[in-house]
Amino acid sequence: EAQVTQNPRYLITVTGKKLTVTCSQNMNHEYMSWYRQDPGLGLRQIYYSMNVEVTDKGDVPEGYKVSRKEKRNFPLILESPSPNQTSLYFCASSFRGENTEAFFGQGTRLTVV
Amino acid sequence: GDSVTQMEGPVTLSEEAFLTINCTYTATGYPSLFWYVQYPGEGLQLLLKATKADDKGSNKGFEATYRKETTSFHLEKGSVQVSDSAVYFCALSPNTDKLIFGTGTRLQVFP
């Protein structure tokens, strides 16, 4: 089954404790991205990757890191989480091109206390 | 910059009512337009899309027409069901791989 898998689904952590949210896709997509969803703000792009070893900042990259060592995986790293990073996070993947469908993971609800 | 504006929610309807969710956009050039739906506890999934002016996207009884003259892409359905209760996102792709989303509109359908 074609899918984007995120883990964990739920995470509660403390300020400053490094964490990684994993994302994996099995559709051989070149393009992968991370979004955060906040009430009243919709989805905002954090980082994206157009292919292996190619990553770039989205609209809200501060406090986040990513890597793309393999085509299927695109982990999101919070080196020192802060409460303002409490949010619902989505990973998405697609083929390149403006008309293509993006496939989303089920989301990771992160709470930083 | 490019942006999408959606009507505030929630939209509350009785089953079999007519649905309209308004979406307008600002973009340079000719973006592709999308509606994504998010069911409770799930990620977003593509509902329909349109890639050029006057195109009509349709799926599962939902329709939206790309109106360049009014920069709009309103979502409509003739008869909603309880199972349509979800959050609906309008989005555009401005000639790149990137998606720019609206803030989302929650639809609640009651029996």
Side-chain angles (χ1 to χ4, degrees), chain B residues 17-87:
Chain B
F18 185 87
L19 168 71
T20 300
I21 299 178
N22 290 337
C23 171
T24 58
Y25 67 90
T26 301
T28 54
Y30 305 94
S32 295
L33 300 174
F34 305 82
W35 278 100
Y36 279 81
V37 58
Q38 183 181 29
Y39 297 104
E42 297 184 12
L44 283 72
Q45 55 187 273
L46 180 66
L47 181 60
L48 54 84
K49 70 178 182 182
T51 59
K52 60 183 188 298
D54 299 324
D55 263 3
K56 177 186 284 189
S58 62
N59 186 24
K60 299 182 181 180
F62 291 89
E63 294 183 339
T65 301
Y66 190 140
R67 301 284 189 202
K68 190 171 182 304
E69 64 275 13
T70 55
T71 61
S72 65
F73 193 54
H74 304 321
L75 182 68
E76 296 181 335
K77 187 175 185 182
S79 176
V80 294
Q81 306 300 312
V82 172
S83 57
D84 293 327
S85 298
V87 181

Side-chain angles (χ1 to χ4, degrees), chain A residues 9 59 90 96-97 99 102 105, chain B residues 32 36 38 41 43 49 97-98:
Chain A
R9 291 289 310 277
D59 299 316
F90 288 100
R96 295 291 309 279
N99 300 326
Chain B
S32 295
Y36 279 81
Q38 183 181 29
K49 70 178 182 182
D97 305 287
K98 181 178 181 176

